[in-house]
Every structure is written in C-alpha cells, then in structure tokens.
C-alpha cells in the first residue's frame, strides 16, 4: 500500500512540473504591439526612411521650429511685438523679462536635442551604403547641422564675438546617462560644417522642398559661413547654390500665390527647405500661423517701423494688412501665413533662395560692390521694390535692410543683429522699458534651461551671464 | 400500457424503501442556555448522510438501519455524539468551546482557523454587504475592515472606488490592492477609456459573495509575491450545501438625495449675484455707464432667477431584485443566482443598470476526486456625465452659470445658441443632458473550473483555472448643433442667427471597444504530516505553480461631421462624413510564479509559518526578470498555557508576529523597453521616433512589512479584541528621474526612492447584553497610519499641489498660508512663511509651505446591532479625521470677484465691506482682489467627519406565521445609507469623501439613500 502512495505522489509531482514546464520563457516576454525596440526599428533601408520622417517631424515641435524658433527671431528683435490684446503667450519676450526657467526656451532646447537624437540614430546606423541610404544619412546630417546652428545662435554668444566662448553640448550618439558640458562655439561650428560637407556629398536626390537636398545643405552652409563672418566661403557656397542648384527665385507676379500655397511643391521655386505641416500632422493651433494670423490667436503684430520700410509698390507689403486690434491700430501678418488651424497649415520656411542671393550680396562686400548690387537687386527686382543703388557703408546697410524686409517673420532678424553685434531700438509698439536693446544686454541670448541645470551637474557652472 | 409501467416503477420504489428499512429521527439542538442553534450539523457517524438544523434549532433526519450514532456540531461549540439505538427523538445541548468558536477564514490558497494563523487577516461575511445601495462591493467595504481605507471620488452610479490598505506606498506605481476572486487574480478598477468614472467590479453582484478576506501583512500576503505590497482582497462566491434546496428572493426599492450639502456652498440667486457683482464693479472703479453695460451682458435686468443647482440635481432612485437557489446532496452541490440592480444618480443623466447571473457546482466524483466550476456574469449599462472643468459637466454649471440665465426660452425650448449660451462658453447642460449621449456597457464573466485529488491521506493536489473576461463598449455622441461636438465654419458667429457649421467636422460620435481576457492557472500540492504520532507536532506544506496572462484588446474610432438636422436622430459613427480618431492595439502582461507555504504546529500552542514565492513578469526588465519574496510568521496561542488557562475569563489569547518582503508590480506593461514609436508622421507618411527611454533594470517596488498583533477573547468570546502594529518600508520606489535634456529624453523611470508607513489597528467586538429574546452586539474599529517619504533622487522634492519631500507625508499640500482679511481695507493676507509672524497682501511674496496631509490620521467605524424577538436594528457610524480636503475649483466660485461673469457661492456674501469688518472673505472687486483666487490654504478644509453609513431596522416573521404561510423565512427591513453626516469644518464645501487624494472635482455628489426591502426564504 505504501508503495502505491509513493507512486501516486510521484505522478502528482510530475503533473505539477509539466504544468510549470509548459510555460516557457517566452511566456514572460511580451513585446509592445505599437512600438519596436531600436534595433528592430532601424534594421532596414525603409526603416531609415521612416526614422528620417520622424526626425523631420521633430523639427515640427511647437517650441522648436514651427513656432518658438522662428518667432523669437523676430520678437526678440524689432519686427514682431505682442498685441495688448493677447492670449498670454510670449509676453516676457515682448518685455525682455524672461527667466531661466522660461518654458519656451526650455522647450526649444528640448526640441533641438530631441531632433538631434533622431538624426544621430540615422547617422550612426550600420546599414550598408547605397543611393537611398546615403540620401537618408545626408538628410540626417543636414538636420543635425540645422539643429546645432539654431542652438549655438540662440544659446551662445555670436561666433563673431568670442569663437572660444561656451557653445552648446555636442551630442553625437545616444546615451541617456550622459551629462555633457558645453563645447566651444568654434567646435560647434566645426561640427556644423563637417555635417554639411557630409550632407552635400551624400545627397543626390530631390523629393520636394520639405526635405533637405544637396543644395539646401549648401545654402545652409552659406548662411553658417556668413554667421561666422567668413565671407569668402559664404560667397562660394551661395554661388554654388545659385549657379548649380536649379532653384529659381519666385517672381513678383507669383509672390502672393507662393505664400498662400499650403502643399509641398517639387518645382524648385524659391524654397530650399521648409518644415511641413498638414491636416493630419501639425502643431494644431500652436503653430506659427496661428500666433500671427488674426484668424488664430493673432497675438503677434508687425512693428510699424518695419511696415514703413516697404515701398508702396513692393509686393511684400501686401503680405501685411493694417487694421485695429483691441481698438489700437495694428499691422497684421495675415497673408504671409494664411493657413491656420482648421485648414491645411502653412509650412515654416527655413531656407529660401532669396536669402542665398542676399548672402551672396553681403558676402561680396566690401571687395566686389558691382556684384553685390547685382545679387541684391536680383531680389528687389522680383519684389517690384525700389532698386538699391548705394555704395560703401550705405550699400551694406541697404542689404541688411533688404534682408529684414525679405525675411521678416521667418526668424532671421535677431540672428543678423547678433552676428553683426548691433544694438537696436525697437519701435514705440513695444513697452517703453524694452525698446533700447543694447548689444551688451545679456538677454540677447537665451538661458541654458533650468531643467538642464537641474539634471546635469556638469553644466551648472556654465550658465550664460545674466541668468 | 403506460399505467402498467407506472405501477412497476412505484413497486420498484416501494421495494427499495422496504429493503433499506430506514427510519426518521428528529429533535432540537440548543446551546447551554437553551436557546436554539440554527445551522448546526447533524451527521450519521460513519457515513456522509447529514442535515442541518432549522432556525428554531429543530431537525429531522432519515437514517439507515445500520446507523448507530449521530454527530452534532456547530460553530463555536464542541462536537458531541449521541447514541440513537431505539430512539426517534434526540434533543441535545451543545457546549461552548472557545477554540471551536474560531471562524474559518479564507486565506491565500486555502482556508485556516483563526487559531492557526500567524498573519493579519480581516474578514467579513457576504451577509454584511448584501442588499446595500452600492454599485460595487468595494464601496461596501468602507468602515468594515481595520486598516482598509475605502473612499469614493464620485457619487456617480458605477463610479470607481479607491482602496488603500495600510496607507500609500507608491508614488508612481499603483496603490490599489490585488483582487482575487475564487482563486483567480483579476483586473480590477476602472477599465474604461472614455467614461468619466467606471468600476469593473460593478459587474459583480455583492449578493453572490460568501466572504471577503483582506490580507494585510507579510505572513498573510507575501505569498502573492510581487503584487502583494498594497494588500490582497480575496473574494469567495457563494456555494450550495447538501440538504433541501433553498430558494431565496430579495427585493428592495428606495430613493436617494445628496448626502452632504453646505448651505454656504450653494450658488447665489439672481438678486444676490446682481448685488455682489455690482458691488464688485463699484469697487473696481467702474463708471455708472460701465456698470450698466457690464451688468446688461450678465443678465442684470433679465428678471430671471433660475436655480441651476436644483435643475442639475434630483432625487435618485434605487431598486434591486435578487433570486438564488442552493442545495444539493452529499455528492453534488449547487448555487444559482440571478439579480437585477438599478440606480439613478442624484444628478441628471446619471444611471446604472446591472443584470447578473451566478452558477457554482461542485461534484464529488469519487472519494478522492472533487470537481467544480463557478461562473459569475454581470452586464452593466451606465450613463455617466462629464465631470471636472468640462463645460458639459452639469455640476459645474450648477455653480458657474449665472442665475440670471434660464435653461429654457420663454417658449419652453432649450436656451441654446443664444448670446447667453453660445457654443464657445459654459454650456447649457440641462439641454445637453438630452442632446448628448455617454454610454458605457460592461460585460464581465469571472469564474473558474477546479479539481481536487486526495492522492493519499493528507496529500492533496488541486488545480484551479480561473478566467476573468471583461468586455467594455463605450458609445458617445456629441450633437452637431451645440456643445462639445459643434464646430463652426471659419468666421461664423457662435450663436444664431447666421451660425454656419463646418459641415465636415461638426458633431462627433465615438465608438470604443475594450476587451480584457485574463486567466490564472494555479496548481498546488497540499500536504500535512504528523511528526509526532500524538498530533502534538505536525506540519502543513503547500507548493504550487501559478501562471497568469492578461490580454487586452482595444479600438476607438471617432467620426465627425453629422447632418445638422435638429432632430438629432443619427448618433453613431456610421452616419458621419469624416473619420477622425482611429486607435486600436493590444496590451498584454504575464506572470509566472512558483511558491510554497509551510506551517509547523507544536501542541497547537506555537505556530511557525513561512512563505516563499518566485515571480517572473513580462513587466520587469530583462535584467531583473525574476524576484524572490518571502515571509516568516509566528504565533503563540497563550490560552493553551497553563498560566493563562487559570485566568478563566481570557480565551483565546494569541500573539502574532510576522516579517517579510513582497512587491508592487503595478508598472505599465512595456515601461522597461527602449522603444521606437510610430506616432510621428511627415507629409502624411509614417515616421518613427525614439518614444521610450526604457530601463532594462526596471523592476517591482519592494515592500517590507513588520507586523505584531494580538487576538484576545474574553468572557467566552463575548468580547473580542484584535490589535495590530505595523511598520512597512517601501524601497526601490519607481520614480521618474530627470535626464539631461540633451539626451533627447526628459525623464527615465527608475527604481529609486524609499517611503515608510506605520500604524496601528484596533478592533473590538462584543456582546454587551444577551438576554433570552434580546441581544446587543457592538463593534468598534480604528486605524491609524503615518506615512513618511524617506528618500528621493538627489533629495530633490517633487513639487505640485502636493510636495513630495523627504521627511513629509507623501500627500502633503504645498500652499501659501492664508491669513485672513485686512480689516482696514479688505485685502486678502497671506503669511510670509511658516513662522506665521508677518503677513503680506502680495501673493508672490508669501512662501508656499508644507501644510497638511490629504490622508487621514485615523479612521474607523462603530457598529451596533440590537435584536429583540424578530426585530433587528443595525447601525454603523463611520469616522475619519486628520486630513484636509482641497476645493479644486473654488477659485472660480469663491474668488473675490475673479471671473465675475461666473456665478458665486453664498460664502462670498461674507466679504469685507467697510473698514473694521472682520471676515475671511476679502473685498469683492471685479476681476479679483490681489490674487485671493490663487491656491492657498483658504481652499483647504478639514476633512474630519462622522457619518451614519448604515442604519437598518428589520423584522423577521416568527416561525408560527411562517409555517402557516408555508415559507422558510421572511425578513422585512428599511435601511438608510449615509443618512446623516457631520463635519468638523464649517467651510468644507462638499462631501468629505473626495478620493484618496482628497481633492474635489465637481463630481456627482455622494448620495444618501433610503431603501425598503424584503427577503424571503423557501
């Protein structure tokens, strides 16, 4: 009897063991159904293409390039001011009183490094080279260069001021535990130029102007050199784009239509690179169009002195419409960004051929005034604006002024004023306490965000002065 | 021919009867005092034949000729045998036995007598929570279990309930206990995705529950391993017993109103509103012309005085009907039930209907093998309005919409799309209540099939396969004309005339489908061995393996663009023109565990217990896939010691101590993985982005509870006392650690951080008075818990409304201290800092300080039951003290003129008016007075309350009438729930129960309910 009991006992144990064994290790591995581990998400050529779209989508963050970036370039300068009737956004930039924990500056910093991470993962992919892979990697290099170019201009002093000063942390690969320090400004520019050289070499395809192409990268490099004060290289790069890129400057007759067009074009007119927003993917009401256009928030108004710069015949003048807001006369920026929330949303222009012509013009000075006039008036003639005829220092001023008129509300103005190390006077549209903006004003550049200081002990001693 | 057959059958029966030579024995079983004992067991010795006594103690049993002895036993009594030779009537008096008085309690993977326990387990019987006007059983647990805090955040029918056992132990992971129904681990809480508040436990009929056990300490709960940290609640459903089939019918009806209202927190009427608003404009410095024009836009001369509060609130109704049948024979038992429950909330457009069915059968296949199955199914339909700050929340409109505006136009139609109610501001929720739809339908099937095999004496194999299936359908409709669904064309005015809708997007309908299928398979071997033949030393052991897999599937679609017909007949996504939301995926998790339990018993005096469990889960990072959890416990039944036995009044007396380690695996399913998500698109093509930083080390939070307790019985269990002291340290807390933003990520979830809870629990129950026809039983329980955060990443506090800081309670409000009103000028004042030495009228200069906790210091209940002849009076008083409640939305209705275009509450009328006025409400100024509306302690009130949770008067028909009516039992009752509430703080605006975080959210108010019902037994 005893033996039978033991026999049954053994059987029972076997049953239990079988039940355990039936659950293999895979039973405890449940992979997420809507996401992939990085190695599976970046395994093939078409995966790189999807990741590249993700990197472009990273540029579309509200606090990055579809609003805060291009907006601050005009609001911190003298082109855009905040109406008294407003939704409470960016008011500290109107009054020059933002602080170290400013949400928009923090968002910009985060947005830039988020996009850099996405680009890094493409650049560092071991997938074998072919035409497509080279193109994707080239675009990723250009995106990374663009991100560092924005970062180093917003968060560090101009290269033209102190090349050896503190730039921004250089992050070239993914490491969530890293606590990087700020690299030198010159090191950041070296990286940008290296990336743009790679981009120029690797890219051979043109899809449409919402993606980087060979000559968009070169145009960006022209701008980078100009910002560094390297006029020779700036001119060479600009002329490469003008002569070899196959892009054309939009004509006066098509100017209004160019700005009202909402879908990406492939005909190489005017835009070298812009960030796409459409019905399914956009920042919604938190895009650039909604903050300028009176059909949206309409908080941002064109300053009176900028509007006064346009000649009556200038087609660019019709992008702006005088009216009143809250009972106060105001010049609206409705027609530059007509696509507001609810419709297809206006894209954010990043690089245009007109900019490249004006770079070529500026970079020709002081040595080559005739060509400077030719490049500058290539633009004025296509805007039915008054031609520039000045010489010497006045010619330089006219070209800078032409840049202001052509590139208004595209985020360029502050960048020009900073690289030229100029103090400036904002119009009476701005609060009286925030009109005279000296070059020495520490708020000409943004603070390293509090969130970075809190999480990264290595950068704590490297805050920008004044914050 | 047919007749012939019938005759033959009858003969066969008669033959059988004669051959068996059975006879019948009857009698009455009483206690020592002669009172009848109901449900005492009467068994024929040496067989499985048996019966139980009726409520009057009588029994009747048919015994075979071979029977010699009957065995009588009852809970709380010593077993007795009686020789039946030559007898037909045996009357017996059973003797009291303290040890047998111990109830048998359901514990992890089995049952145990109280005297055998080493852990802290509280339990209640199903009868204590049945026929209550609660939509889910977790609401009925309030005040019943020491150490268990059960708070509602909403009075909406079907709303979720928050349960915290022995405090809060986690900041990021779940603080909800583990629910186990009939051995199967289930998904509890709110499984809905679109509904304001829902509770999947509302599909379970409390009347189908036999018992609830709450496992609180390491010895009791650690066997559930990585999910035991927040405590474990074991539910056992009803089963049948051998004997005559019993039918039970319960019927109940009632109605409900708001349980607690503060007259100072009622909205102003039109005259009051116009008065205070005009005063505010004057104080602002507005000119008479400006005042006139502003007041005109606010309906100052409309002549209307509409009470939005009364329009949104109503008398609710309550009814339920339950039928059950149970019985069986010695081989097969069954329990069958059906129920219907319906509740209409105290706010318009809120209701719940539940249909339930239960089945449990058990069959003894052979002497060694038993098989069984049980299933409880429930179908719930509920309708739940919006809450919080949503324009469509009827409670919000009770307080915000101006009394100078009516819900109706003079012609009786709804006042919508007028300048008073454009589509862009506070909505006319009275209109929306009939124009929009917010349905939730929940279907749950919970159950198990099980088998038991007694391999040899004292060795048992048991296998339970449990399922927990829940199916949720959510249908929502926002009409195209007005409210949340209406979308206007660019440039359209927001009200008639001339309103133009965006045809592509106006109106919307959601259809959401959610399915959870979750199974648990448990196999155990249960062994008992006597080490000494005398039985003085024996051990029991259990080893087992358990696997669980929960699969979740969900889809949501949203269509926009309805035809703008005012009839609003078309309400489903199929009628829309523009597909909008399309979501669908799965989400799974799994656990696999091996475990063992062992107890050593020495002379029934000393018991040493140990448990061990090894858990693996899909939720844990690959580097920390498996964890070991354990406990040890010991108890000493001192009443077995000679020196205690001499003190005759004390028995039993038991000391318990336990310590162990368990975990909190309430992490999101895929948090551990570094991931790329496909949520970013560019030019409408799919894009991938790094979406989760991941942490391959991610694992459960650890919880280390130490428990010391005592169970004391006195005066033959007339007085029982249970005391527990505990201290539990929670470590490896999951927290989001900030990363350098240059990494491209903001935070990483990591196991870091330490927190501690310690407290005491005391429960006393007794029978102070027991006469022949009169019994008074009373019980009292109180729980005290103290929480403290011990360590955080880099010692940095996490700051929000609460400050999570080392050394403080995890739910400490962080606020500026309001110092009242400057009697000279009516300015609001705040203390500069916590020293409260000086005040300022500049809100920004006042420092925020850790003020008080949202968790109570102590809570508990007092229960009294008096029975006299057939009458029973039950009363339960719940109490709670020491927490503060935040009035989240008060800035709008209590701010001193802030948002003057919204209505205010009557407390605003206490405002300062002239120099010398002493009050706590500042001068009323249009637009607000110096940021008085900013969050400060003025919006916190003490949460102390006493509440008559339950009072019931019942009457059982006496046996004499019952037998004439030929029914087994009849019980009539009237019951009041939450009938009376008393709060300490006169400025507590709304119900003191506001969820575990004590923050109001303009939810449906908690109701008080009067019901009357009847239970019949056949």
């Amino acid at each position: 009897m005893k033996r039978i009991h033991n026999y049954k006992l053994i059987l029972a144990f076997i049953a239990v063991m079988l039940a355990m064994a039936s659950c293999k290790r895979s039973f405890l591995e449940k992979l997420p159904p809507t996401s992939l581990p990085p190695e599976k998400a970046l395994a093939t050529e078409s995966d790189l293409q999807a990741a590249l779209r993700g990197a472009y989508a990273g540029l579309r963050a509200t606090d990055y390039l579809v609003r805060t970036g291009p907006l601050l370039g005009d609001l911190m300068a003298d082109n855009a001011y905040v109406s008294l009737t407003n939704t409470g956004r960016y008011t500290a930039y109107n009054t020059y009183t933002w602080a170290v924990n400013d949400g928009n500056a923090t968002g910009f910093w985060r947005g830039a490094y988020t996009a850099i991470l996405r680009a890094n993962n493409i650049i560092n992919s071991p997938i074998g080279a072919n035409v497509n892979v080279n193109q994707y990697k080239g675009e990723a290099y250009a995106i990374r260069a663009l991100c560092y170019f924005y970062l180093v201009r917003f968060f560090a002093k101009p290269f033209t001021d102190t090349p050896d000063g503190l730039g921004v942390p250089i992050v070239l690969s993914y490491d969530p535990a890293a606590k990087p320090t700020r690299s030198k400004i010159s090191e950041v520019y070296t990286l940008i130029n290296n990336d743009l050289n790679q981009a120029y070499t690797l890219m051979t395809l043109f899809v449409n102007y919402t993606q980087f192409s060979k000559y968009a990268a070169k145009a960006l490099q022209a701008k980078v050199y100009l910002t560094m004060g390297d006029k020779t290289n700036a001119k060479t790069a600009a002329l490469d784009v003008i002569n070899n890129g196959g892009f054309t400057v939009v004509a006066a007759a098509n100017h209004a239509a160019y700005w009202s067009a909402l879908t990406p074009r492939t005909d190489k007119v005017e835009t070298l690179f812009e960030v796409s927003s459409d019905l399914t993917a956009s920042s919604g009401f938190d895009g650039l169009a909604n903050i300028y256009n009176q059909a949206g928030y309409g908080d941002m108004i064109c300053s009176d002195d900028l509007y006064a710069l346009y000649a009556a015949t200038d087609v660019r003048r019709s992008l702006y419409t005088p009216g009143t807001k809250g009972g106060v006369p105001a010049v609206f920026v409705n027609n530059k960004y007509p696509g507001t929330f609810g419709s297809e949303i206006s894209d954010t222009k990043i690089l245009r051929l007109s900019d490249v012509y004006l770079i070529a013009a500026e970079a020709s000075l002081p040595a080559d005034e005739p060509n400077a006039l030719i490049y500058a008036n290539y633009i004025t003639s296509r805007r039915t604006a008054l031609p520039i005829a000045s010489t010497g220092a006045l010619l330089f001023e006219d070209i800078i002024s032409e840049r202001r008129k052509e590139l208004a509300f595209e985020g360029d103005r502050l960048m020009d004023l900073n690289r030229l190390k100029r103090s400036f006077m904002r119009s009476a549209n701005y609060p009286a306490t925030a009109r005279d903006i000296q070059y020495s004003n520490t708020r000409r550049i943004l603070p390293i965000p509090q969130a970075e200081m809190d999480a990264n002990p290595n950068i704590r001693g490297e805050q920008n002065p004044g914050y | 021919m047919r007749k012939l057959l019938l005759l033959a059958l009858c003969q066969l029966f008669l033959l059988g009867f004669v051959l068996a030579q059975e006879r019948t024995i009857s009698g009455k079983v009483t206690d020592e005092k002669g009172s009848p004992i109901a449900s005492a067991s009467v068994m024929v010795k040496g067989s499985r034949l048996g019966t139980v006594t009726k409520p009057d103690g009588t029994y009747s049993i048919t015994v075979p000729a071979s029977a010699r002895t009957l065995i009588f036993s009852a809970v709380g009594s010593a077993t007795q045998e009686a020789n039946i030779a030559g007898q037909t009537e045996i009357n017996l008096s059973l003797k009291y036995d303290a040890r047998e008085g111990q109830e048998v309690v359901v514990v992890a993977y089995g049952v145990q007598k109280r005297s055998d326990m080493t852990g802290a387990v509280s339990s209640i019987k199903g009868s204590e929570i049945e026929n209550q006007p609660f939509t889910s059983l977790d609401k009925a647990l309030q005040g019943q279990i020491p150490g268990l805090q059960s708070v509602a955040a909403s009075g909406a029918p079907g709303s979720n309930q928050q349960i915290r056992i022995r405090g809060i132990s986690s900041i990021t992971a779940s603080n909800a206990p583990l629910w186990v129904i009939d051995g199967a681990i289930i998904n509890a809480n709110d499984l809905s995705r679109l509904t304001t508040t829902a509770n999947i436990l509302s599909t379970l009929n409390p009347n189908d529950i036999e018992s609830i056990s709450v496992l609180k300490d390491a010895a009791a709960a650690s066997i559930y391993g990585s999910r035991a940290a927040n405590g474990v609640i074991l539910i056992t459903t009803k089963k049948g017993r051998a004997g005559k089939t019993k039918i039970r019918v319960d019927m109940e009806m009632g109605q409900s109103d708001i349980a607690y209202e503060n007259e100072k927190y009622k909205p102003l009427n039109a005259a009051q509103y116009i008065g205070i608003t005009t005063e505010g404009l004057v104080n602002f410095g507005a000119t008479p012309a400006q005042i006139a024009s502003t007041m005109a836009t606010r309906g100052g001369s409309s002549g209307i005085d509409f009470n939005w509060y009364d329009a949104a609130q109503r008398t609710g109704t309550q009814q339920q009907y339950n039928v059950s049948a149970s019985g069986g024979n010695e081989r097969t038992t069954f329990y069958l039930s059906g129920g219907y429950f319906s509740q209409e909330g105290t706010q318009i457009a809120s209701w719940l209907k539940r249909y339930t069915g239960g089945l449990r059968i058990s069959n003894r296949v052979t002497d060694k093998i038993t098989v069984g199955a049980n299933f409880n199914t429930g179908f719930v339909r509920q309708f739940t309005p919006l809450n919080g700050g949503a324009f469509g929340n009827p409670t919000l409109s009770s307080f915000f919409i101006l009394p100078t505006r009516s819900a109706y136009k003079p012609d009786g139609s709804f006042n919508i799309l007028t300048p008073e109610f454009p589509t862009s501001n506070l909505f006319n929720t009275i209109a929306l209540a009939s124009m929009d739809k917010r349905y939730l339908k929940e279907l749950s099937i919970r159950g198990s099939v099980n088998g038991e095999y007694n391999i040899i004496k004292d060795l048992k194999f048991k296998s339970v396969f449990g399922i927990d299936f829940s199916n949720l359908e959510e249908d929502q409709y926002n009409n195209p004309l007005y409210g949340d669904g209406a979308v206007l064309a660019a440039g359209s005015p927001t009200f008639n005339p001339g309103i133009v809708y965006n045809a592509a997007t106006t109106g919307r309908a959601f259809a959401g489908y959610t399915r959870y299928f979750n199974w648990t398979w448990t196999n155990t071997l249960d062994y008992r061995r006597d080490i000494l033949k005398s039985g003085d030393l024996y051990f029991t052991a259990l080893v087992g393996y358990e696997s669980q897999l929960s699969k979740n599937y969900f889809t949501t679609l949203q269509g926009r663009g309805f035809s703008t017909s005012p009839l609003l007949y078309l309400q489903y996504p199929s009628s829309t023109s523009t597909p909008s939301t399309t979501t669908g995926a799965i989400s799974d998790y799994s656990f696999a565990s091996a475990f063992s339990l062992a107890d050593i018993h020495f002379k029934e005096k000393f018991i040493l217990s140990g448990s061990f469990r090894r858990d693996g889960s899909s939720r844990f990072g690959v580097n920390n896939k498996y964890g070991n959890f354990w406990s040890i416990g010991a108890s000493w039944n001192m009443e077995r010691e000679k020196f205690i036995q001499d003190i005759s009044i004390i028995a039993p007396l038991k000391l318990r101590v336990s310590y162990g380690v368990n975990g909190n695996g309430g992490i999101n399913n895929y948090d551990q993985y570094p991931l790329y998500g496909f949520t970013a698109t560019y030019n409408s093509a799919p894009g991938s982005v790094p979406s989760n930083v991941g942490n391959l080390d991610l694992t459960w939070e650890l919880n280390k509870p130490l428990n010391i307790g005592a169970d004391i019985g006195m005066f033959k269990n007339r007085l029982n006392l249970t005391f527990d002291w505990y201290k539990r340290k929670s470590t490896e807390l999951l927290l989001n650690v900030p990363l350098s933003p240059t990494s491209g990520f903001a935070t990483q979830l990591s196991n870091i951080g330490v927190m501690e809870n310690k407290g005491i629990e005391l429960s006393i129950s007794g029978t102070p008075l027991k006469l022949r026809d009169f019994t008074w039983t009373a019980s009292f329980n109180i729980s005290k818990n103290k929480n403290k955060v011990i360590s955080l990443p880099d010692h940095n506090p996490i700051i929000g409304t609460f400050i999570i800081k080392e050394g403080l309670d995890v739910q400490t409000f962080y606020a500026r201290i309001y110092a009242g009103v400057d009697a000279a000028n009516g300015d609001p004042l705040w203390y500069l800092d916590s020293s409260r030495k000086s005040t300022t009228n500049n809100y920004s200069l006042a420092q925020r300080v850790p003020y008080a906790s949202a968790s109570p210091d102590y809570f508990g209940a007092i229960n009294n039951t008096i029975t006299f002849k057939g009458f029973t009076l039950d009363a339960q008083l719940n109490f709670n003290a020491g927490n503060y409640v935040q009035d989240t939305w008060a800035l709008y209705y209590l701010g001193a003129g802030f948002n003057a275009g919204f209505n205010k509450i009557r407390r605003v009328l206490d405002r300062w008016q002239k120099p010398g006025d002493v009050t706590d409400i500042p001068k009323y100024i249009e637009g607000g007075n110096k940021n008085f509306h900013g969050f400060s302690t003025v919006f916190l009130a003490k949460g102390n309350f006493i509440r008559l949770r339950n009072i019931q008067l019942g009457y059982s028909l006496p046996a004499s009438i019952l037998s004439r009516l030929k029914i087994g039992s009849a019980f009539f009752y009237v019951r009041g729930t939450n009938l009376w509430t008393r709060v300490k703080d006169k400025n507590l605006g709304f119900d003191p129960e506001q969820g575990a975080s004590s923050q109001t959210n303009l939810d449906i108010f908690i109701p008080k309910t009067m019901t009357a019902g009847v239970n019949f037994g056949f």
Side-chain angles (χ1 to χ4, degrees), chain A residues 2 4-6 8-9 12-13 15-16 19-23 25 27-38 41-42 47 49-58 60 109-110 113-114 117-118 121-122 169 171 174-180 208 210-211 264 273-278 280-281 342 451-452 454-456 459-460, chain B residues 368 453 455-457 459 461 502 519 521 523-525 527 529 543-545 547-549 551 584-594 615-620 622 625-626 669-670 672-678 680-694 738-748 794 796:
Chain A
K2 185 83 183 170
I4 293 174
H5 282 163
N6 285 342
K8 284 180 174 171
L9 191 65
F13 271 114
V16 173
M20 292 182 191
S22 68
C23 293
R25 188 180 163 75
F27 181 76
L28 291 180
E29 278 172 8
K30 297 280 170 250
L31 292 173
T34 57
S35 310
L36 292 174
L42 295 172
D47 292 336
Q49 187 182 22
L52 182 65
R53 293 192 199 109
Y56 281 116
R60 205 175 48 215
W109 181 269
R110 285 190 191 283
Y113 279 104
T114 301
L117 165 64
R118 297 176 188 184
N121 285 356
I122 299 165
V171 178
Y174 174 56
D175 176 9
K179 313 280 183 207
N208 63 41
T210 65
Q211 292 184 220
F273 178 64
E274 67 186 39
V275 179
S276 173
S277 295
D278 54 36
T280 55
E452 183 67 52
D454 287 348
N456 180 357
I459 209 170
R460 271 176 212 161
Chain B
K368 288 185 175 296
Y453 177 36
I455 304 163
I456 48 172
K457 184 175 176 292
L459 178 66
F461 171 73
N502 182 329
W519 57 257
W521 190 19
N523 293 292
T524 54
L525 269 177
Y527 186 60
R529 187 179 171 93
V543 293
Y545 185 82
S547 42
Q548 188 206 352
L549 176 62
K551 288 168 126 18
I586 60 168
S587 184
D588 301 344
Y589 70 85
S590 60
F591 278 85
S593 322
D615 261 355
S617 172
S618 63
R619 286 173 174 168
F620 305 153
V622 290
K625 204 86 193 150
Y626 297 92
N669 286 350
Y670 309 112
Q672 57 153 315
Y673 294 106
L675 290 175
Y676 257 72
F678 289 76
T681 68
Y682 195 66
N683 288 327
S684 300
S688 67
V689 297
S691 56
N692 190 29
V693 63
L739 297 177
S740 163
T742 60
S743 67
F745 283 101
T747 60
Q748 180 177 37
D794 293 333
N796 284 331

Side-chain angles (χ1 to χ4, degrees), chain A residues 114-195:
Chain A
T114 301
I116 286 169
L117 165 64
R118 297 176 188 184
N120 281 343
N121 285 356
I122 299 165
I123 292 167
N124 299 334
S125 164
I127 294 172
N130 63 32
V131 171
N132 286 336
V133 170
N134 285 346
Q135 175 72 22
Y136 304 148
K137 289 197 171 189
E139 291 183 47
Y141 274 114
I143 289 170
R144 186 165 79 181
L146 181 74
C147 292
Y148 278 111
F149 188 43
Y150 268 100
L151 276 173
V152 78
R153 288 183 296 166
F154 265 121
F155 291 93
K157 289 200 154 179
F159 182 90
T160 49
D161 184 317
T162 47
D164 288 337
L166 288 172
V168 294
I170 291 179
V171 178
L172 300 178
S173 60
Y174 174 56
D175 176 9
K179 313 280 183 207
T181 56
R182 295 173 71 174
S183 298
K184 284 182 193 168
I185 295 169
S186 56
E187 289 167 344
V188 179
Y189 276 96
T190 303
L191 170 75
I192 293 168
N193 276 318
N194 289 344
D195 279 357

Side-chain angles (χ1 to χ4, degrees), chain B residues 34 78 81 107 167 184 221 280 294-295 310 318 325 585 622 624 632 693 735 742 747 762 936 960 971-972 995 1016:
Chain B
E81 297 188 0
V107 295
T294 305
M295 289 313 293
D310 287 351
Q318 160 78 36
V622 290
N624 274 318
I632 49 168
V693 63
L735 285 170
T742 60
T747 60
L762 174 68
S936 76
S960 53
F971 180 67
F972 303 87
F1016 291 115

Side-chain angles (χ1 to χ4, degrees), chain B residues 39 52 241 243-248 324-328 334 1017-1018:
Chain B
S39 302
V52 291
R241 286 191 173 76
K244 183 170 165 283
T245 298
K246 288 181 190 162
I247 309 275
R248 189 177 143 172
S324 69
S326 68
F334 71 93
F1018 302 97

Side-chain angles (χ1 to χ4, degrees), chain B residues 158-210:
Chain B
S159 62
N160 201 8
Q161 186 81 356
Q162 289 174 312
I163 288 189
R164 301 285 176 263
I165 298 174
R166 295 188 164 180
I168 293 169
S169 69
S170 182
I171 294 166
T172 315
S174 167
N175 276 301
L178 179 71
W179 290 81
V180 180
I181 299 185
D182 290 326
I185 293 165
I186 62 152
N187 290 312
N189 305 314
D190 188 346
L191 302 183
S192 72
R193 293 178 297 119
L194 304 174
T195 306
T196 325
T197 175
N199 185 343
I200 198 66
L201 286 174
S202 64
T203 58
L204 185 66
N205 185 349
N207 279 41
D208 285 338
I209 290 169
E210 176 133 329

Side-chain angles (χ1 to χ4, degrees), chain B residues 298-342:
Chain B
R298 294 176 182 168
S301 48
S302 67
I304 287 166
D305 188 2
F306 189 85
N307 190 324
W308 284 88
Y309 186 85
D310 287 351
Q313 314 299 336
R314 67 176 178 192
T315 298
T317 63
Q318 160 78 36
Q319 51 182 309
Q320 60 175 319
Y321 306 92
N322 292 294
V323 185
S324 69
S326 68
N329 54 33
E330 56 280 13
R331 282 224 172 277
T332 304
T333 60
F334 71 93
Y335 173 83
L336 281 170
S337 74
Y340 170 73
F341 178 101
S342 160

